[in-house]
Amino acid sequence: MRIVLFTGKGGVGKTTIAAATALRCAQLGYRTLVISTDPAHSLADALNVPLGPEPVEIEPNLYGQELDVYYSMKKHWSNMRELMLTVFRWQGVRDVVAEEMSALPGMEEASAFLWIEEYAREERFDVIIIDSAPTGETLTLLTLPQVTKWWVTKALPFQKFAIKGFGAAIRKTTGVPLDKGYEELEALFGKLESIQKTFADPAITSIRLVANPERMVIQEAKRAYTYLQLYGYNVDAVVVNRVLPPMENPGIFSRYLERQVGYLAEIEESFAPLPIFKVEHAGREVFGLELLDQIATAMYGDGDPSVIYHEEQPVEYVATEEGYTVRLKLPFLENQAFNLNKFGDELVLELGTRRKHVFLPRFAHFLVLGAHHYQEPWLEVTLLRE
């Protein structure tokens, strides 16, 4: 199975690009699902067909799905939901608020993970195209299992064995399946961690950045690329959407076209050697399979969108006489302030509001942090023997 996830700043046209890519994959004979994880769904509008929380067949080999977190929890994790509701009610939370809180932070993204884990296990699709939420929400996918575990630990003021022990007794007297809910919760964490490894496997998953030739959008795409590299995810292409074509009489667009030339050059230079796909502005709203087919042709020609366009290793270890050098590929880090520390066998890199734990080989526990040096795009960290 191949997974291709499209991300980028809100409003750049991710949904259109994802839908067009899925259509082309289906036309090539792959059993393809395009799935929207954005709470503000627009995938059905782009395809111009009604979609629901289960896969809907659009045409041969092409299926669409818009996730609904409450539907997913009711269908797959009803006992866990009852566990969360019961605990919140015990803590004095009103019913309506408890119902809202029962959907864990990041559960929208977790739903995508868990549906995809199910599809992979059942081998239902050859290609899954993910129309993700804007960049910030997409990045929550990267630490989702850890963050969710932390949140649940704070929310559930009980020990594991207390829940499982007393939960069975409570179920007999009240019918509330606390013990079963906890078992579902544990299984959920296991599935999240499993599918996270699938997302981090470059042979299965590719992430593609969608941008427009505009300054703010390009800056966000650069930041996203830095963080995706930071977490070890493979970005294999950039799609530049809504490129204005040359005009004989540009009028009010003359200044925009002048700047666009510079922005396109900046994208080519900044993201090299990633492939850059350009899609001209359609001059109208894009919805329906006919227009999506035109977008797919503009991007891929006769090519196969499911192939891996680019792959590289963002972390390297190099042995030296004094110890080791860890090389982290982090583009666009040069002008950003960051802190670096080492605790045991892990490096902790703090970049803005985000923290990345880079786990080292076990022997690195006995090495001490030396100097570090940044040469675009590599951050080199020296680990010395004491």
Side-chain angles (χ1 to χ4, degrees):
M1 186 179 72
R2 278 280 286 142
I3 299 171
V4 180
L5 183 150
F6 288 93
T7 188
K9 188 176 176 62
V12 295
K14 294 185 302 297
T15 299
T16 299
I17 299 302
T21 301
L23 176 61
R24 179 50 49 89
C25 288
Q27 291 170 340
L28 291 173
Y30 298 115
R31 190 173 173 85
T32 304
L33 171 71
V34 56
I35 184 170
S36 171
T37 67
D38 192 339
H41 295 301
S42 57
L43 181 60
D45 297 326
L47 293 165
N48 202 27
V49 295
L51 297 177
E54 295 273 358
V56 173
E57 185 172 11
I58 300 165
E59 66 169 25
N61 290 324
L62 180 61
Y63 296 79
Q65 181 179 9
E66 291 185 332
L67 292 182
D68 184 307
V69 63
Y70 294 102
Y71 174 87
S72 299
M73 291 188 71
K74 184 177 180 180
K75 178 177 179 179
H76 297 290
W77 313 293
S78 58
N79 290 327
M80 186 190 76
R81 176 175 166 275
E82 286 298 325
L83 166 66
M84 303 301 294
L85 281 172
T86 301
V87 169
F88 288 135
R89 286 166 181 158
W90 281 346
Q91 294 179 339
V93 178
R94 290 183 295 113
D95 284 354
V96 174
V97 180
E99 186 80 39
E100 287 293 313
M101 291 177 67
S102 68
L104 306 178
M107 200 65 197
E108 199 85 40
E109 293 84 1
S111 296
F113 266 29
L114 295 165
W115 281 100
I116 292 168
E117 189 273 339
E118 177 183 313
Y119 298 147
R121 183 164 25 87
E122 297 176 355
E123 299 182 347
R124 289 181 60 180
F125 300 99
D126 303 314
V127 179
I128 294 179
I129 306 296
I130 300 175
D131 168 31
S132 75
T135 310
E137 287 83 350
T138 298
L139 291 172
T140 64
L141 286 169
L142 308 179
T143 55
L144 189 60
Q146 298 89 336
V147 170
T148 306
K149 274 189 176 181
W150 178 89
W151 192 91
V152 170
T153 300
K154 300 297 182 183
L156 299 181
F158 308 106
Q159 294 296 322
K160 168 183 175 179
F161 296 109
I163 286 183
K164 298 190 78 171
F166 290 112
I170 291 172
R171 177 157 53 96
K172 289 180 180 179
T173 57
T174 67
V176 179
L178 295 191
D179 53 331
K180 295 296 183 183
Y182 200 91
E183 289 172 4
E184 281 187 5
L185 200 58
E186 287 186 319
L188 180 143
F189 290 144
K191 289 180 178 181
L192 285 178
E193 290 172 348
S194 173
I195 199 65
Q196 190 180 46
K197 292 177 182 177
T198 299
F199 270 67
D201 184 347
I204 299 174
T205 302
S206 296
I207 296 178
R208 294 176 188 167
L209 299 172
V210 182
N212 301 143
E214 300 173 5
R215 182 175 178 274
M216 291 179 62
V217 175
I218 294 171
Q219 291 303 108
E220 175 134 346
K222 287 181 180 180
R223 284 192 291 269
Y225 188 42
T226 296
Y227 288 126
L228 289 165
Q229 291 281 5
L230 187 67
Y231 286 98
Y233 283 64
N234 185 49
V235 178
D236 78 339
V238 176
V239 179
V240 187
N241 192 28
R242 298 176 185 152
V243 178
L244 285 182
M247 303 178 189
E248 290 186 10
N249 299 301
I252 61 172
F253 293 105
S254 58
R255 192 170 182 184
Y256 186 94
L257 285 168
E258 289 174 6
R259 292 184 175 180
Q260 178 178 271
V261 172
Y263 290 143
L264 290 173
E266 180 182 349
I267 290 171
E268 293 279 359
E269 181 180 346
S270 298
F271 292 98
L274 291 180
I276 310 293
F277 297 100
K278 298 184 182 71
V279 181
E280 286 192 356
H281 200 297
R284 53 176 168 170
E285 291 182 281
V286 177
F287 58 87
L289 299 184
E290 183 179 347
L291 289 177
L292 290 174
D293 181 60
Q294 294 175 20
I295 296 292
T297 300
M299 276 192 292
Y300 306 111
D302 296 327
D304 185 344
S306 71
V307 301
I308 302 170
Y309 289 109
H310 185 78
E311 185 178 344
E312 58 189 346
Q313 177 57 258
V315 182
E316 296 178 359
Y317 299 95
V318 180
T320 65
E321 292 184 1
E322 297 82 13
Y324 286 84
T325 296
V326 182
R327 303 182 74 232
L328 305 171
K329 188 168 187 181
L330 300 172
F332 320 122
L333 189 62
E334 191 166 15
N335 297 321
Q336 300 187 54
F338 64 90
N339 294 315
L340 188 67
N341 293 289
K342 179 179 179 293
F343 301 98
D345 58 355
E346 60 182 299
L347 287 174
V348 179
L349 177 65
E350 295 180 344
L351 178 62
T353 60
R354 297 185 181 275
R355 176 180 293 180
K356 170 63 177 175
H357 295 256
V358 180
F359 292 95
L360 306 171
R362 290 186 179 181
F363 62 78
H365 185 92
F366 303 100
L367 303 176
V368 297
L369 183 63
H372 62 268
H373 171 71
Y374 185 75
Q375 178 79 39
E376 176 77 27
W378 293 96
L379 173 64
E380 295 189 353
V381 182
T382 303
L383 301 177
L384 304 172
R385 298 184 183 91
E386 293 188 75

